[in-house]
Amino acid sequence: MVGWLYLLTLLAALGSGLMAGLFFAFSTFIMQALGKRPAPVGISAMQSIDETILNPIFFAVFFGTAGLSVALALIGWNEAGFGWRIAGGLLYLIGSIGITMCCNVPLNNRLAKLAPDSAEGATFWTHYLSVWAAWNHVRTVGCIGASGSFILGMP
């Protein structure tokens, strides 16, 4: 049991670490770079990113880590580090999946419907940059916390 538990915990730590890195990049320079461009350019670029990120590799890491988080809550409860693994799973499920679905995706969906060169697009873009980035910072911290918790919970 410990061998499988170790492997699943390692994969959860790596998956949440990968997601933390992705969110960190958006928080520290990608959104700032897009915000420095004229609104139509920034909007078009973000619309392209939002379309391109929906691919099998992203889904495997994003949702696979969620599945591992759930699995780790169901197994190994009598093994050392269980509390850390539960903490990691909760941080990932809430801080990554929950925030993404409830906060970032609705903003992305609204942005997708706008013409980049419209007045409505320019107005929304200012709002989008600040609100989307703020929630992304939360995702970054949640995934860093999840990764660290999974590492501390290694059996």
Side-chain angles (χ1 to χ4, degrees):
M1 172 68 151
V2 174
W4 280 105
L5 186 58
Y6 178 85
L7 179 61
L8 295 177
T9 307
L10 175 64
L11 291 173
L14 292 172
S16 55
L18 283 169
M19 293 311 303
L22 174 71
F23 297 146
F24 180 79
F26 273 91
S27 282
T28 57
F29 63 88
I30 294 172
M31 295 308 288
Q32 293 166 7
L34 295 177
K36 289 182 177 185
R37 307 302 306 150
V41 174
I43 292 168
S44 293
M46 193 64 191
Q47 288 172 332
S48 181
I49 290 168
D50 287 340
E51 291 172 10
T52 306
I53 201 166
L54 302 177
N55 67 69
I57 296 170
F58 172 78
F59 284 136
V61 175
F62 186 66
F63 290 115
T65 304
L68 290 168
S69 296
V70 172
L72 289 169
L74 300 175
I75 62 170
W77 52 269
N78 58 347
E79 301 287 341
F82 180 71
W84 285 113
R85 292 188 298 277
I86 287 292
L90 288 172
L91 284 166
Y92 186 80
L93 291 170
I94 294 167
S96 181
I97 301 292
I99 296 296
T100 297
M101 296 303 173
C102 293
C103 304
N104 295 88
V105 167
L107 289 166
N108 291 345
N109 290 342
R110 187 166 167 205
L111 186 70
K113 295 176 184 174
L114 297 174
D117 57 353
S118 69
E120 181 184 12
T123 300
F124 181 68
W125 182 239
T126 302
H127 168 78
Y128 179 92
L129 284 170
S130 64
V131 175
W132 192 97
W135 284 116
N136 191 69
H137 299 333
V138 174
R139 296 190 302 178
T140 304
V141 171
C143 286
I144 291 169
S147 185
S149 294
F150 286 129
I151 291 167
L152 291 170
M154 297 290 287

